[in-house]
Amino acid sequence: MANEVVVKFSQQLTDKLVSVESALPKDFNRERFVQNCLAVMNETPQLAKINPAQTIQGLLKGAYLGLDFMKRECYLIPYGNTVQFQTDYKGECKFTKKYSVRRIMDIYAKVVRKGDEFTEEIVDGKPSIDFKPLPFNDGDIIGAFAIVLYQDGGMAYEAMSLADINSVRNNYSKASQSKAWKNSFDEMCKKTVLHRLCQHI
């Protein structure tokens, strides 16, 4: 981005953040967020070709959730003449922990690969899973699961087969051929199953 464009965009983003300050997280650092957003713009030149107002709206979604673009907790993906805001697995975990009404002790997701042992059952009316991964297994992914452990001792989980994950990717993702799906498929599998679990939290 040319210097004058950077300055103008930075000012527009700053002004917008000031105008919505009451809706931002209490620990929000405006200056750092703006610098991170400028770095994102430099890393993704296609964003400069999109209407700045749309790009700013996409960036604001990260601000509202308290997510960091530079830590890869969320992304802004060019999609035709618009942009799509997308959370990463790490971002899903972060804001779910932060905003869950029922206090969370831990939340995470794992991929299941060919050769791993994964079983699920109901014991005395309570869900239970058992996962025994092969050490350093780099076999084909056959599914994924996500677990939330609550501070009150409760737990919940969601499991999806590879077919389920690909169905979500093909039917609901506007960027099913994005770099995230192509280069970080395991992370996207974890994010997909975690997102489904989060709908029940």
Side-chain angles (χ1 to χ4, degrees):
M1 295 174 69
N3 283 342
E4 60 273 15
V5 176
V6 169
V7 172
K8 183 178 180 182
F9 183 83
S10 176
Q11 189 59 56
Q12 288 176 325
L13 180 57
T14 299
D15 291 345
K16 190 64 178 177
L17 289 168
V18 170
S19 72
V20 298
E21 190 169 12
S22 61
L24 300 175
K26 292 181 180 179
D27 57 352
F28 184 76
N29 186 319
R30 187 170 65 236
E31 290 75 18
R32 187 184 69 183
F33 183 81
V34 171
Q35 290 304 311
N36 285 352
C37 289
L38 293 177
V40 168
M41 297 293 289
N42 283 327
E43 288 180 358
T44 314
Q46 303 97 309
L47 292 174
K49 302 175 183 177
I50 297 171
N51 186 314
Q54 290 187 21
T55 302
I56 287 173
Q57 285 301 315
L59 293 170
L60 283 177
K61 291 182 180 179
Y64 291 138
L65 293 172
L67 300 182
D68 194 319
F69 286 95
M70 291 305 294
K71 290 182 179 178
R72 303 295 188 260
E73 293 173 348
C74 56
Y75 301 91
L76 209 56
I77 302 170
Y79 185 72
N81 294 322
T82 62
V83 292
Q84 181 185 20
F85 173 81
Q86 189 175 85
T87 55
D88 183 75
Y89 164 70
K90 298 182 292 294
E92 293 268 340
C93 288
K94 180 178 178 178
F95 76 73
T96 301
K97 272 186 174 181
K98 190 170 185 177
Y99 296 111
S100 174
V101 174
R102 190 176 177 187
R103 294 184 66 81
I104 292 174
M105 181 171 68
D106 200 5
I107 183 169
Y108 60 89
K110 299 285 186 183
V111 294
V112 181
R113 297 180 181 273
K114 191 173 182 180
D116 295 340
E117 291 184 23
F118 176 80
T119 57
E120 52 184 318
E121 58 183 343
I122 304 295
V123 179
D124 296 328
K126 296 180 180 179
S128 172
I129 67 167
D130 187 32
F131 179 53
K132 296 178 181 176
L134 288 176
F136 309 109
N137 188 359
D138 60 358
D140 292 339
I141 293 173
I142 60 173
F145 67 93
I147 292 179
V148 58
L149 303 173
Y150 294 105
Q151 290 188 9
D152 60 16
M155 70 87 76
Y157 79 94
E158 188 73 45
M160 296 177 71
S161 68
L162 181 61
D164 290 336
I165 292 167
N166 280 327
S167 177
V168 171
R169 173 184 181 179
N170 295 329
N171 293 313
Y172 300 104
S173 175
K174 291 183 179 180
S176 61
Q177 300 303 315
S178 67
K179 287 198 299 184
W181 277 110
K182 291 180 178 179
N183 300 337
S184 303
F185 185 70
D186 56 341
E187 290 293 302
M188 292 302 289
C189 288
K190 291 193 290 185
K191 179 198 164 184
T192 301
V193 71
L194 184 73
H195 184 71
R196 180 169 288 187
L197 173 65
C198 289
Q199 292 175 351
H200 304 295
I201 297 178

